[in-house]
Amino acid sequence: MDHLRIVPGPGAPGGLTIQASELTEQFSRSSGPGGQHVNTTDSRVQLSLDLATTTALSECQRERALRALAPRLSGTVLTVSVEEHRSQQRNRVTARERLAELLREALIPPVPRRATKPTRGSQRRRLEHKKRRSDIKQQRRRPRDQ
């Protein structure tokens, strides 16, 4: 097993390289395609990475990844499970691609929201609508005796 490389992008301008020693692979029997072959081979791959201990991420990147991937984490461990191919080797490649994609997406910094002002036209239309509703409700009232 070799290192996992993540291409440069927002949040990781120089890209990332995760050491092979930080990745954990487990193999088990798959319920996916393969017929009788599936009962005899361990083709399902579970690839795990502990985000808290990996040396590939800076502290800022680690916090961002932990926050973004929180629903997928078990503690601080990110696990990807793949069983879509009959071949263990193809499942290993797919698992690495998925893990890299998840990390790449998680490292993208959030875009700050810029507050906008309502346009003069929208303010005018809102006030006109309020005035019309007010007039309608005024006309529904019982006339006052004078």
Side-chain angles (χ1 to χ4, degrees):
M1 183 166 69
D2 50 335
H3 305 310
L4 177 63
R5 293 189 189 352
I6 298 175
V7 296
L16 293 174
T17 301
I18 298 172
Q19 300 298 316
S21 60
E22 296 178 352
L23 297 170
T24 308
E25 278 185 330
Q26 290 182 323
F27 306 101
S28 59
R29 298 226 167 105
S30 171
S31 63
Q36 293 175 354
H37 170 76
V38 86
N39 299 326
T40 60
T41 58
D42 291 339
S43 57
R44 175 193 291 148
V45 177
Q46 285 186 310
L47 183 63
S48 300
L49 172 67
D50 190 349
L51 297 176
T53 60
T54 183
T55 58
L57 300 174
S58 69
E59 210 45 51
C60 178
Q61 290 171 330
R62 186 182 327 277
E63 289 172 13
R64 191 176 295 149
L66 286 170
R67 195 175 321 111
L69 297 170
R72 287 194 59 116
L73 297 178
S74 173
T76 59
V77 178
L78 175 62
T79 302
V80 175
S81 184
V82 178
E83 57 180 322
E84 63 192 43
H85 303 292
R86 291 179 63 169
S87 157
Q88 183 188 86
Q89 193 58 39
R90 286 179 61 194
N91 281 335
R92 288 177 79 187
V93 170
T94 305
R96 291 168 149 273
E97 290 170 356
R98 283 194 194 161
L99 184 70
E101 184 61 30
L102 280 171
L103 281 174
R104 190 177 317 114
E105 293 291 323
L107 293 177
I108 296 173
V111 178
R113 183 188 177 280
R114 292 196 190 101
T116 58
K117 283 171 56 175
T119 63
R120 193 173 288 149
S122 69
Q123 288 176 342
R124 181 183 46 78
R125 286 189 298 274
R126 183 179 67 85
L127 293 174
E128 285 174 1
H129 179 70
K130 284 179 68 153
K131 178 71 174 140
R132 275 196 307 273
R133 291 291 298 165
S134 172
D135 290 344
I136 289 170
K137 290 185 175 196
Q138 191 100 30
Q139 291 169 4
R140 287 182 190 156
R141 290 185 189 156
R142 178 171 287 159
R144 290 184 11 188
D145 293 331
Q146 296 196 4

